[in-house]
Amino acid sequence: MRLLRYIKYRKSFITGFLIKTVEVVLELFLPIFMAALMKKGLEGGNYKDGYLMVGLIVLFCSLGYMSTVFAHKLAAKVSQDFAKNLRQAVFYKVQDLSIEDTNEFSSSSLINRLNLDVSHLQNGLAMTIRIASRAPVLMVGSIISLFIVSPKVALILVIGLPIVIVILIFIMYASMRIFQKFQTQNDKLLEVVKDNVEGSRMIRAFAQVEHEESRFDDKNSVLSSIMVKLGKITSLSSPFTTLALNILLIAMIYAGALDINNGQMDQSQLIQVITYTTQLTLAIISVMNLILLYTKTYSAGIRLNKLLDKQNSIKEEDNLILDNKPAKIEFKNVGFGYGDNSNNILNHINLVINPGETIGVVGLTGSGKTTIIDLIMRFHDVTEGEVLINDINVKNYNLTSLRDGIAYASQKAALLQGDVKENIEMANDYGNEKVEKALKEAQSNFILKRDNGINEEVLRQGVNFSGGQRQRLALARALVKDSGILILDDVFSALDYMTDFKIRRELQRRDLKQTTIFISQRLSSLANADKIIILDGGRIIATGKHEELIENNDLYRALYETQVAGGAKWLN
């Protein structure tokens, strides 16, 4: 029910519902006109009344047809707009959630919720207007009309109808449970497909094509078996329901025939009984199909509500704005661990970065270097202590302002489909000259030499560029911002040493003064930093300049000699 708030055209929904009700009322009059046509026109020889009944039948059929067309048009309008609003809400929710929150849902699950689950709810809403508004009224109207025509015949229907209802309830319950399994397994299958598309080069390089095909076949077989099971239940529903209703119809016709022989009913009344029973049968079959659709809608609604009800763990405690001046950054006894894990990734981090300073961060793999950046950007919140910018806790800044005030290039160079300029500007308007300047500083001159220049197309995930080219474009995206803080997270890892040197030279020549945090495994990239911190096991074990650390810190000296002198003695 909570998802109904995404229905924008509520008046159209109600109007469509009422129009379908009018259509049913018109349809319920048809057996009366048919009986009058048979009794007065055909049997009584009163052709004037017969023509009148024919005219009324044509009129009511035409009105019913026009109302159906109009109601279906409203159903399409309401359901399509509902799907648009719901899809938008789901997408916005995914954007608003923190990285840690979205990790609870796999990417394939999010895609299925955005597409398949929304489509199921859209179809459910459309069918609510087209069928749910019609079938119950037609069922009730047919039963009341049967009681008016022949209470004894109608009583047979009332006695047998619970059997049909029991069958429908069983089908609904069984199919609902199976469809929930289908959704879960469909997410797993899509995850395999996604892995193979994104990791196609690695899979071929390690000759794992057959293994991945086997992995896909296993998931696909499970999904297929679930669908077969669901198909068996739904395929049995129609024969069982139709059989039960036909048995009831035979019993009712038999009882009606006995009443005709006894003079308690005429043939025109029997025609009414058969017509109303046929209408009732069609209504029940429609309800049965609607129930099968609602099982999918119900399961989809549960999944979407789970996502939409998810509370963002990153909350804004205030709405302060971060300016673009070089900022002071401070860590006060910071500790951090993922989720409920009792083992912290970072422990007792105490660090002060003064405005305009350039800080290098180095450490072994898994020492927590990127996690420090995540805490500044508020991709995660600290478990212990606090992170301050300009002596204000980062939680007190407006989240958009905080991230907009930081120029950030990550170790994973992510590019969006579009063109180079769009990827550099990220919905801002910096102008061609500034974009080209940033590209030159990032040693991305190869873009400027191409025919399309900064309008060069970028395919999905930047697959039309090499790893080093993607990294330089991601760096240009950070350099084009006039932010007070610049964070470069291992952005030189895919670059050769000459390009690395040229970029560092350009950074030193920049007029813009920024507080810079530079993470790198290459110590030569950090040599000119104002100070370098060394992380090991989630703790800061040393701080100092490049020359001081070579002389005084064993780990830094080991890293230096490994990179510069080969480090033979450290490998023995």
Side-chain angles (χ1 to χ4, degrees), residues 197-276:
V197 171
E198 294 181 353
S200 59
R201 179 174 296 186
M202 179 271 295
I203 290 169
R204 286 165 176 75
F206 286 88
Q208 293 297 302
V209 173
E210 291 185 3
H211 171 74
E212 290 301 313
E213 288 176 350
S214 175
R215 185 168 160 236
F216 176 85
D217 289 342
D218 291 341
K219 301 292 184 185
N220 194 33
S221 296
V222 174
L223 183 66
S224 178
S225 64
I226 292 173
M227 288 303 296
V228 168
K229 190 175 181 180
L230 182 62
K232 286 179 180 179
I233 293 177
T234 54
S235 63
L236 290 175
S237 62
S238 183
F240 276 136
T241 306
T242 305
L243 177 63
L245 290 173
N246 283 331
I247 291 173
L248 286 175
L249 182 59
I250 292 171
M252 292 166 67
I253 293 174
Y254 180 74
L258 292 178
D259 285 347
I260 290 175
N261 287 335
N262 295 330
Q264 297 176 353
M265 181 188 294
D266 56 36
Q267 292 180 358
S268 62
Q269 289 177 308
L270 182 60
I271 292 295
Q272 283 183 270
V273 169
I274 294 173
T275 305
Y276 282 127

Coordinates of all heavy atoms in Angstrom, one line a residue, residues 197-276:
V197 N 30.5 -10.3 -18.5 CA 30.6 -9.2 -19.4 C 31.7 -8.3 -19.0 O 32.6 -7.8 -19.8 CB 29.3 -8.4 -19.5 CG1 29.4 -7.1 -20.2 CG2 28.2 -9.2 -20.1
E198 N 31.8 -8.0 -17.7 CA 32.8 -7.1 -17.2 C 34.2 -7.7 -17.1 O 35.2 -7.0 -17.2 CB 32.4 -6.6 -15.8 CG 31.1 -5.7 -15.8 CD 30.7 -5.2 -14.5 OE1 31.4 -5.6 -13.5 OE2 29.8 -4.3 -14.4
G199 N 34.2 -9.0 -16.9 CA 35.5 -9.7 -16.7 C 35.9 -10.6 -17.9 O 36.6 -11.6 -17.8
S200 N 35.4 -10.3 -19.1 CA 35.5 -11.1 -20.3 C 37.0 -11.3 -20.6 O 37.4 -12.4 -21.0 CB 34.8 -10.5 -21.5 OG 35.3 -9.2 -21.8
R201 N 37.8 -10.3 -20.5 CA 39.2 -10.4 -20.8 C 40.0 -11.3 -19.9 O 40.7 -12.2 -20.3 CB 39.9 -9.0 -20.8 CG 41.4 -9.0 -21.1 CD 42.0 -7.7 -21.2 NE 41.4 -6.9 -22.4 CZ 41.8 -5.7 -22.7 NH1 42.8 -5.1 -22.1 NH2 41.3 -5.1 -23.8
M202 N 39.7 -11.2 -18.6 CA 40.3 -12.1 -17.6 C 39.9 -13.5 -17.8 O 40.7 -14.4 -17.7 CB 40.0 -11.6 -16.2 CG 40.6 -12.4 -15.1 SD 39.5 -13.7 -14.6 CE 38.1 -12.9 -13.9
I203 N 38.6 -13.7 -18.1 CA 38.1 -15.1 -18.2 C 38.8 -15.8 -19.4 O 39.2 -16.9 -19.3 CB 36.6 -15.0 -18.4 CG1 35.9 -14.6 -17.1 CG2 36.0 -16.4 -18.9 CD1 34.4 -14.3 -17.3
R204 N 39.0 -15.0 -20.5 CA 39.6 -15.6 -21.7 C 41.1 -15.8 -21.4 O 41.7 -16.8 -21.9 CB 39.4 -14.7 -22.9 CG 38.0 -14.8 -23.4 CD 37.6 -13.7 -24.4 NE 36.3 -13.9 -25.0 CZ 35.1 -13.7 -24.3 NH1 35.2 -13.3 -23.1 NH2 34.0 -13.9 -24.9
A205 N 41.7 -14.9 -20.7 CA 43.2 -14.9 -20.4 C 43.5 -16.2 -19.6 O 44.6 -16.8 -19.8 CB 43.6 -13.7 -19.7
F206 N 42.6 -16.6 -18.7 CA 42.9 -17.7 -17.9 C 42.1 -19.0 -18.4 O 42.0 -20.0 -17.6 CB 42.4 -17.4 -16.4 CG 43.4 -16.5 -15.7 CD1 43.3 -15.2 -15.8 CD2 44.5 -17.1 -15.0 CE1 44.2 -14.3 -15.1 CE2 45.4 -16.2 -14.3 CZ 45.2 -14.9 -14.4
A207 N 41.6 -18.9 -19.6 CA 41.0 -20.1 -20.3 C 39.9 -20.6 -19.4 O 39.8 -21.8 -19.2 CB 42.0 -21.2 -20.6
Q208 N 39.0 -19.7 -18.9 CA 37.9 -20.1 -18.0 C 36.6 -20.1 -18.6 O 35.5 -20.0 -18.0 CB 37.9 -19.2 -16.7 CG 39.1 -19.4 -15.8 CD 39.2 -20.8 -15.2 OE1 38.3 -21.2 -14.6 NE2 40.3 -21.5 -15.5
V209 N 36.6 -20.0 -20.0 CA 35.3 -19.9 -20.7 C 34.4 -21.1 -20.4 O 33.2 -20.9 -20.1 CB 35.5 -19.8 -22.2 CG1 34.2 -19.9 -23.0 CG2 36.3 -18.5 -22.5
E210 N 34.9 -22.3 -20.4 CA 34.1 -23.5 -20.2 C 33.6 -23.5 -18.7 O 32.5 -23.9 -18.5 CB 34.9 -24.8 -20.5 CG 35.2 -25.0 -21.9 CD 35.9 -26.3 -22.2 OE1 36.1 -27.1 -21.2 OE2 36.3 -26.6 -23.3
H211 N 34.5 -23.1 -17.8 CA 34.0 -23.0 -16.4 C 32.9 -22.0 -16.2 O 31.9 -22.3 -15.5 CB 35.2 -22.6 -15.5 CG 34.8 -22.3 -14.1 ND1 34.5 -23.3 -13.2 CD2 34.7 -21.1 -13.4 CE1 34.2 -22.8 -12.0 NE2 34.3 -21.4 -12.2
E212 N 33.0 -20.9 -16.9 CA 31.9 -19.9 -16.7 C 30.6 -20.3 -17.4 O 29.5 -20.1 -17.0 CB 32.4 -18.5 -17.3 CG 33.5 -17.8 -16.5 CD 33.0 -17.6 -15.1 OE1 31.9 -17.0 -14.9 OE2 33.8 -17.9 -14.1
E213 N 30.8 -21.1 -18.5 CA 29.6 -21.6 -19.2 C 28.9 -22.6 -18.3 O 27.7 -22.7 -18.2 CB 30.0 -22.3 -20.5 CG 30.4 -21.3 -21.6 CD 30.9 -21.9 -22.9 OE1 31.1 -23.2 -22.8 OE2 31.0 -21.3 -23.9
S214 N 29.7 -23.4 -17.6 CA 29.2 -24.4 -16.6 C 28.5 -23.7 -15.5 O 27.4 -24.1 -15.0 CB 30.3 -25.3 -16.1 OG 29.8 -26.2 -15.1
R215 N 29.1 -22.6 -15.0 CA 28.6 -21.8 -13.9 C 27.2 -21.2 -14.3 O 26.3 -21.2 -13.6 CB 29.6 -20.7 -13.5 CG 29.2 -19.9 -12.3 CD 30.4 -19.1 -11.9 NE 30.0 -18.0 -11.1 CZ 30.3 -16.7 -11.3 NH1 31.0 -16.4 -12.4 NH2 29.9 -15.7 -10.5
F216 N 27.2 -20.7 -15.6 CA 25.9 -20.2 -16.1 C 24.9 -21.2 -16.2 O 23.7 -21.0 -15.8 CB 26.2 -19.5 -17.4 CG 24.9 -18.9 -18.1 CD1 24.4 -17.7 -17.7 CD2 24.2 -19.7 -19.0 CE1 23.3 -17.2 -18.3 CE2 23.1 -19.2 -19.6 CZ 22.6 -18.0 -19.2
D217 N 25.3 -22.4 -16.7 CA 24.3 -23.5 -16.9 C 23.7 -23.9 -15.6 O 22.5 -24.3 -15.5 CB 25.0 -24.7 -17.6 CG 25.3 -24.4 -19.1 OD1 24.7 -23.4 -19.6 OD2 26.1 -25.1 -19.7
D218 N 24.5 -24.0 -14.5 CA 24.0 -24.4 -13.2 C 22.9 -23.4 -12.7 O 21.9 -23.8 -12.3 CB 25.2 -24.4 -12.2 CG 26.1 -25.6 -12.5 OD1 25.7 -26.5 -13.2 OD2 27.2 -25.5 -12.0
K219 N 23.2 -22.1 -12.8 CA 22.3 -21.1 -12.4 C 21.0 -21.1 -13.2 O 19.9 -21.0 -12.8 CB 22.9 -19.7 -12.4 CG 24.1 -19.5 -11.5 CD 23.8 -19.6 -10.1 CE 25.1 -19.3 -9.2 NZ 24.8 -19.5 -7.8
N220 N 21.2 -21.3 -14.5 CA 20.1 -21.3 -15.5 C 19.2 -22.5 -15.3 O 18.0 -22.4 -15.4 CB 20.7 -21.2 -16.9 CG 19.6 -20.9 -17.9 OD1 18.7 -20.1 -17.6 ND2 19.7 -21.5 -19.1
S221 N 19.8 -23.6 -15.0 CA 19.1 -24.9 -14.7 C 18.2 -24.7 -13.5 O 17.0 -25.1 -13.5 CB 20.0 -26.1 -14.6 OG 20.7 -26.3 -15.8
V222 N 18.7 -24.1 -12.5 CA 18.0 -23.9 -11.2 C 16.8 -23.0 -11.5 O 15.6 -23.2 -11.1 CB 18.8 -23.3 -10.1 CG1 18.0 -23.0 -8.9 CG2 19.9 -24.3 -9.7
L223 N 17.1 -21.9 -12.3 CA 16.0 -20.9 -12.6 C 15.0 -21.6 -13.5 O 13.8 -21.4 -13.3 CB 16.6 -19.8 -13.3 CG 15.7 -18.6 -13.7 CD1 15.1 -17.9 -12.5 CD2 16.4 -17.6 -14.6
S224 N 15.4 -22.4 -14.4 CA 14.5 -23.1 -15.3 C 13.6 -24.1 -14.5 O 12.4 -24.1 -14.7 CB 15.2 -23.9 -16.4 OG 14.4 -24.6 -17.2
S225 N 14.2 -24.8 -13.6 CA 13.4 -25.7 -12.8 C 12.3 -25.0 -11.9 O 11.2 -25.5 -11.7 CB 14.3 -26.6 -11.9 OG 14.9 -25.8 -10.9
I226 N 12.7 -23.8 -11.4 CA 11.7 -23.0 -10.6 C 10.6 -22.6 -11.5 O 9.4 -22.6 -11.1 CB 12.4 -21.8 -10.0 CG1 13.4 -22.3 -8.9 CG2 11.4 -20.8 -9.4 CD1 14.3 -21.2 -8.4
M227 N 10.9 -22.1 -12.8 CA 9.9 -21.7 -13.7 C 9.0 -22.8 -14.1 O 7.8 -22.7 -14.3 CB 10.5 -21.0 -14.9 CG 11.1 -19.7 -14.6 SD 9.9 -18.5 -13.9 CE 8.8 -18.3 -15.3
V228 N 9.6 -24.0 -14.3 CA 8.8 -25.2 -14.7 C 7.8 -25.5 -13.6 O 6.6 -25.8 -13.8 CB 9.7 -26.4 -15.0 CG1 8.9 -27.7 -15.0 CG2 10.5 -26.2 -16.2
K229 N 8.3 -25.5 -12.3 CA 7.4 -25.7 -11.2 C 6.3 -24.7 -11.1 O 5.1 -25.0 -10.8 CB 8.2 -25.7 -9.9 CG 7.5 -26.2 -8.7 CD 8.4 -26.3 -7.5 CE 7.7 -26.8 -6.2 NZ 8.6 -26.9 -5.1
L230 N 6.6 -23.4 -11.3 CA 5.6 -22.4 -11.3 C 4.6 -22.6 -12.5 O 3.4 -22.4 -12.3 CB 6.3 -21.0 -11.4 CG 5.4 -19.8 -11.4 CD1 4.7 -19.7 -10.1 CD2 6.2 -18.5 -11.6
G231 N 5.2 -23.0 -13.6 CA 4.3 -23.2 -14.8 C 3.3 -24.3 -14.6 O 2.2 -24.3 -15.0
K232 N 3.8 -25.4 -13.9 CA 2.9 -26.5 -13.6 C 1.7 -26.1 -12.7 O 0.5 -26.5 -13.0 CB 3.6 -27.6 -12.9 CG 4.6 -28.4 -13.8 CD 5.3 -29.5 -13.0 CE 6.3 -30.2 -13.9 NZ 7.0 -31.3 -13.2
I233 N 2.0 -25.3 -11.7 CA 0.9 -24.8 -10.8 C -0.1 -23.9 -11.6 O -1.3 -24.1 -11.5 CB 1.5 -24.1 -9.6 CG1 2.3 -25.1 -8.7 CG2 0.4 -23.5 -8.8 CD1 2.9 -24.5 -7.5
T234 N 0.5 -23.0 -12.3 CA -0.4 -22.0 -13.0 C -1.1 -22.7 -14.1 O -2.3 -22.3 -14.5 CB 0.4 -20.8 -13.5 OG1 1.5 -21.3 -14.4 CG2 1.0 -20.0 -12.4
S235 N -0.5 -23.7 -14.8 CA -1.2 -24.4 -15.9 C -2.3 -25.3 -15.4 O -3.3 -25.5 -16.1 CB -0.2 -25.3 -16.7 OG 0.3 -26.3 -15.9
L236 N -2.2 -25.8 -14.1 CA -3.3 -26.6 -13.6 C -4.5 -25.7 -13.1 O -5.6 -26.2 -13.0 CB -2.8 -27.4 -12.4 CG -1.8 -28.6 -12.8 CD1 -1.3 -29.2 -11.5 CD2 -2.5 -29.6 -13.6
S237 N -4.2 -24.5 -12.8 CA -5.2 -23.6 -12.2 C -6.4 -23.5 -13.2 O -7.6 -23.6 -12.8 CB -4.6 -22.3 -11.9 OG -4.2 -21.6 -13.1
S238 N -6.1 -23.2 -14.5 CA -7.2 -22.9 -15.4 C -8.1 -24.2 -15.7 O -9.3 -24.1 -15.6 CB -6.6 -22.4 -16.7 OG -7.7 -22.1 -17.6
P239 N -7.5 -25.4 -15.9 CA -8.4 -26.6 -16.1 C -9.2 -26.9 -14.9 O -10.4 -27.2 -15.0 CB -7.3 -27.7 -16.3 CG -6.1 -27.0 -16.9 CD -6.1 -25.7 -16.2
F240 N -8.6 -26.8 -13.7 CA -9.4 -27.1 -12.4 C -10.5 -26.1 -12.3 O -11.7 -26.5 -11.9 CB -8.5 -27.1 -11.2 CG -7.7 -28.4 -11.0 CD1 -6.4 -28.3 -10.7 CD2 -8.3 -29.6 -11.1 CE1 -5.7 -29.5 -10.4 CE2 -7.6 -30.8 -10.9 CZ -6.3 -30.7 -10.6
T241 N -10.2 -24.9 -12.4 CA -11.3 -23.8 -12.3 C -12.4 -24.0 -13.3 O -13.6 -24.0 -13.0 CB -10.6 -22.4 -12.4 OG1 -9.6 -22.3 -11.5 CG2 -11.7 -21.4 -12.0
T242 N -12.0 -24.2 -14.6 CA -12.9 -24.3 -15.6 C -13.8 -25.6 -15.4 O -15.0 -25.6 -15.6 CB -12.2 -24.4 -17.0 OG1 -11.4 -23.3 -17.2 CG2 -13.2 -24.5 -18.1
L243 N -13.1 -26.7 -15.0 CA -13.9 -27.9 -14.7 C -14.9 -27.7 -13.6 O -16.1 -28.1 -13.8 CB -12.9 -29.0 -14.3 CG -13.5 -30.4 -13.9 CD1 -14.3 -31.0 -15.1 CD2 -12.4 -31.4 -13.4
A244 N -14.5 -27.1 -12.5 CA -15.4 -26.9 -11.4 C -16.6 -26.0 -11.9 O -17.8 -26.3 -11.5 CB -14.7 -26.2 -10.3
L245 N -16.3 -25.0 -12.6 CA -17.4 -24.0 -13.1 C -18.3 -24.7 -14.1 O -19.5 -24.5 -14.1 CB -16.7 -22.8 -13.7 CG -16.0 -21.9 -12.7 CD1 -15.3 -20.7 -13.4 CD2 -17.1 -21.3 -11.7
N246 N -17.7 -25.6 -15.0 CA -18.6 -26.3 -15.9 C -19.5 -27.3 -15.3 O -20.6 -27.5 -15.7 CB -17.7 -26.9 -17.0 CG -17.2 -25.9 -18.0 OD1 -17.8 -24.9 -18.3 ND2 -16.0 -26.2 -18.6
I247 N -19.0 -27.9 -14.2 CA -19.8 -28.9 -13.5 C -21.0 -28.1 -12.8 O -22.1 -28.6 -12.8 CB -19.0 -29.6 -12.4 CG1 -18.0 -30.6 -13.1 CG2 -19.9 -30.4 -11.4 CD1 -17.0 -31.2 -12.1
L248 N -20.7 -26.9 -12.3 CA -21.7 -26.1 -11.7 C -22.7 -25.7 -12.7 O -23.9 -25.7 -12.5 CB -21.1 -24.9 -11.0 CG -20.4 -25.1 -9.7 CD1 -19.7 -23.8 -9.2 CD2 -21.4 -25.6 -8.6
L249 N -22.2 -25.3 -13.9 CA -23.1 -24.9 -15.0 C -24.0 -26.0 -15.5 O -25.2 -25.8 -15.7 CB -22.2 -24.4 -16.2 CG -23.0 -23.9 -17.4 CD1 -23.9 -22.7 -17.0 CD2 -22.0 -23.5 -18.5
I250 N -23.5 -27.2 -15.6 CA -24.3 -28.4 -15.9 C -25.4 -28.6 -14.9 O -26.6 -28.9 -15.2 CB -23.4 -29.6 -16.1 CG1 -22.5 -29.5 -17.3 CG2 -24.3 -30.9 -16.2 CD1 -21.5 -30.6 -17.4
A251 N -25.0 -28.5 -13.6 CA -26.0 -28.7 -12.5 C -27.1 -27.7 -12.6 O -28.3 -27.9 -12.4 CB -25.3 -28.7 -11.2
M252 N -26.7 -26.4 -12.9 CA -27.6 -25.3 -12.9 C -28.6 -25.5 -14.1 O -29.8 -25.2 -14.0 CB -26.9 -24.0 -13.0 CG -26.1 -23.7 -11.7 SD -24.9 -22.3 -11.9 CE -26.0 -21.0 -12.2
I253 N -28.0 -25.9 -15.3 CA -28.9 -26.1 -16.5 C -29.8 -27.2 -16.2 O -31.0 -27.2 -16.6 CB -28.0 -26.3 -17.7 CG1 -27.2 -25.1 -18.1 CG2 -28.8 -26.8 -18.9 CD1 -26.2 -25.3 -19.2
Y254 N -29.3 -28.3 -15.6 CA -30.2 -29.4 -15.3 C -31.4 -29.0 -14.4 O -32.5 -29.3 -14.6 CB -29.4 -30.5 -14.6 CG -30.2 -31.8 -14.3 CD1 -30.6 -32.6 -15.3 CD2 -30.6 -32.0 -12.9 CE1 -31.4 -33.8 -15.0 CE2 -31.3 -33.1 -12.6 CZ -31.7 -34.0 -13.6 OH -32.5 -35.1 -13.3
A255 N -31.0 -28.2 -13.3 CA -32.1 -27.8 -12.4 C -33.0 -26.8 -13.1 O -34.3 -26.9 -12.9 CB -31.4 -27.0 -11.2
G256 N -32.5 -26.0 -14.0 CA -33.4 -25.1 -14.8 C -34.3 -25.9 -15.7 O -35.5 -25.5 -15.9
A257 N -33.7 -27.0 -16.3 CA -34.6 -27.8 -17.2 C -35.7 -28.4 -16.5 O -36.8 -28.5 -17.0 CB -33.7 -28.8 -17.9
L258 N -35.4 -28.9 -15.3 CA -36.5 -29.5 -14.4 C -37.5 -28.4 -14.1 O -38.8 -28.8 -14.1 CB -35.9 -30.0 -13.1 CG -35.0 -31.3 -13.3 CD1 -34.4 -31.7 -11.9 CD2 -35.7 -32.5 -13.9
D259 N -37.1 -27.2 -13.8 CA -38.1 -26.1 -13.5 C -38.9 -25.8 -14.8 O -40.1 -25.5 -14.6 CB -37.4 -24.9 -13.1 CG -36.9 -25.0 -11.6 OD1 -37.3 -26.0 -10.9 OD2 -36.1 -24.2 -11.2
I260 N -38.3 -25.9 -16.0 CA -39.1 -25.7 -17.2 C -40.2 -26.7 -17.4 O -41.3 -26.5 -17.7 CB -38.2 -25.6 -18.4 CG1 -37.3 -24.3 -18.3 CG2 -39.0 -25.6 -19.7 CD1 -36.2 -24.2 -19.4
N261 N -39.8 -28.0 -17.1 CA -40.7 -29.1 -17.2 C -41.9 -29.0 -16.2 O -43.0 -29.4 -16.5 CB -40.0 -30.4 -17.1 CG -39.2 -30.8 -18.3 OD1 -39.4 -30.3 -19.4 ND2 -38.1 -31.6 -18.0
N262 N -41.5 -28.4 -15.1 CA -42.5 -28.3 -14.0 C -43.3 -27.0 -14.2 O -44.2 -26.7 -13.4 CB -41.9 -28.3 -12.6 CG -41.3 -29.6 -12.3 OD1 -41.7 -30.7 -12.8 ND2 -40.2 -29.6 -11.5
G263 N -43.0 -26.2 -15.2 CA -43.7 -24.9 -15.4 C -43.3 -23.8 -14.5 O -43.9 -22.8 -14.5
Q264 N -42.2 -23.9 -13.8 CA -41.7 -22.9 -12.8 C -40.7 -21.9 -13.5 O -40.4 -20.9 -12.9 CB -41.0 -23.6 -11.6 CG -42.0 -24.4 -10.8 CD -41.3 -25.1 -9.7 OE1 -40.0 -25.1 -9.6 NE2 -42.0 -25.9 -8.8
M265 N -40.3 -22.2 -14.7 CA -39.4 -21.4 -15.5 C -39.6 -21.5 -16.9 O -39.9 -22.6 -17.4 CB -37.9 -21.7 -15.1 CG -36.9 -20.9 -15.8 SD -35.2 -21.5 -15.5 CE -35.0 -21.2 -13.8
D266 N -39.5 -20.4 -17.7 CA -39.6 -20.5 -19.1 C -38.2 -20.5 -19.8 O -37.2 -20.3 -19.1 CB -40.5 -19.4 -19.7 CG -40.0 -18.0 -19.3 OD1 -38.8 -17.8 -19.3 OD2 -40.8 -17.1 -19.1
Q267 N -38.2 -20.7 -21.1 CA -36.9 -20.8 -21.8 C -36.1 -19.5 -21.8 O -34.9 -19.5 -21.7 CB -37.2 -21.2 -23.3 CG -37.7 -22.6 -23.4 CD -38.0 -23.0 -24.8 OE1 -37.8 -22.2 -25.7 NE2 -38.4 -24.2 -25.1
S268 N -36.8 -18.4 -21.8 CA -36.1 -17.1 -21.8 C -35.4 -16.9 -20.4 O -34.3 -16.3 -20.4 CB -37.1 -15.9 -22.0 OG -38.0 -15.9 -20.9
Q269 N -36.0 -17.4 -19.4 CA -35.3 -17.3 -18.1 C -34.1 -18.2 -18.0 O -33.0 -17.9 -17.4 CB -36.3 -17.7 -16.9 CG -37.3 -16.6 -16.7 CD -38.3 -17.1 -15.6 OE1 -38.9 -18.2 -15.7 NE2 -38.5 -16.2 -14.6
L270 N -34.2 -19.4 -18.7 CA -33.0 -20.3 -18.8 C -31.9 -19.6 -19.5 O -30.7 -19.8 -19.2 CB -33.4 -21.6 -19.4 CG -32.3 -22.7 -19.5 CD1 -31.8 -23.0 -18.1 CD2 -32.8 -23.9 -20.3
I271 N -32.2 -18.9 -20.6 CA -31.2 -18.2 -21.3 C -30.5 -17.2 -20.4 O -29.2 -17.0 -20.5 CB -31.8 -17.4 -22.6 CG1 -32.3 -18.4 -23.6 CG2 -30.8 -16.5 -23.2 CD1 -31.2 -19.2 -24.3
Q272 N -31.3 -16.5 -19.6 CA -30.7 -15.5 -18.6 C -29.7 -16.3 -17.7 O -28.6 -15.8 -17.4 CB -31.8 -14.8 -17.8 CG -32.5 -13.7 -18.6 CD -33.5 -13.0 -17.7 OE1 -34.6 -13.4 -17.6 NE2 -33.0 -12.0 -17.0
V273 N -30.2 -17.4 -17.2 CA -29.4 -18.2 -16.2 C -28.0 -18.6 -16.9 O -26.9 -18.4 -16.3 CB -30.1 -19.5 -15.8 CG1 -29.2 -20.4 -15.0 CG2 -31.3 -19.1 -14.9
I274 N -28.1 -19.1 -18.1 CA -26.9 -19.5 -18.8 C -26.0 -18.3 -19.1 O -24.7 -18.4 -18.9 CB -27.2 -20.2 -20.1 CG1 -28.0 -21.5 -19.9 CG2 -26.0 -20.5 -21.0 CD1 -28.5 -22.2 -21.1
T275 N -26.5 -17.2 -19.5 CA -25.7 -16.0 -19.8 C -25.1 -15.5 -18.6 O -23.9 -15.1 -18.6 CB -26.6 -14.9 -20.4 OG1 -27.3 -15.4 -21.6 CG2 -25.8 -13.7 -20.9
Y276 N -25.8 -15.4 -17.5 CA -25.2 -14.8 -16.2 C -24.2 -15.8 -15.7 O -23.1 -15.4 -15.1 CB -26.3 -14.6 -15.2 CG -27.1 -13.4 -15.4 CD1 -28.5 -13.4 -15.4 CD2 -26.5 -12.1 -15.5 CE1 -29.3 -12.3 -15.6 CE2 -27.2 -11.0 -15.7 CZ -28.6 -11.0 -15.7 OH -29.3 -9.9 -15.9

